[in-house]
Amino acid sequence: MTGPDLTLSPMPTACGCGDAGHEAPELDVRTIPHSIRHAVVLGAWSAIGGGASLVIVAPHDPKPLLAQIADRDGPLTVTYLDEGPRAWRLRLTRA
């Protein structure tokens, strides 16, 4: 018995449709245990392709996390969408 013929292609990092109107995925890290929060964000960030964005929602200004991302992966653009006091929303865009 043979299975169906499958052609596997690399999974794109963005949809590739050319529609700039797509919203960036949003990750609310306030619900993630502090001990794994950076690892979760770094994992999500690694799935974002060049020129794409990820919005994170944090309980404080995540400057240490931003420095960690920049040290690990190089330049990024950070846009503050909301600046506390209960939540900070930031759009991170990969260079």
Side-chain angles (χ1 to χ4, degrees):
M1 179 175 184
T2 62
D5 291 330
L6 298 176
T7 302
L8 301 177
S9 302
M11 188 163 59
T13 55
C15 76
C17 72
D19 181 359
H22 285 289
E23 293 295 320
E26 185 169 295
L27 177 61
D28 188 341
V29 301
R30 296 173 297 174
T31 62
I32 298 170
H34 189 267
S35 61
I36 62 170
R37 194 174 288 163
H38 282 209
V40 170
V41 173
L42 291 171
W45 179 249
S46 70
I48 301 298
S53 297
L54 170 69
V55 174
I56 62 169
V57 181
H60 59 81
D61 191 352
K63 289 181 182 180
L65 174 64
L66 300 176
Q68 185 178 4
I69 292 171
D71 286 345
R72 190 183 93 156
D73 295 329
L76 70 148
T77 301
V78 178
T79 305
Y80 283 80
L81 305 173
D82 294 310
E83 295 185 58
R86 293 185 181 169
W88 275 253
R89 287 182 67 240
L90 296 87
R91 177 183 302 276
L92 313 180
T93 304
R94 194 179 280 279

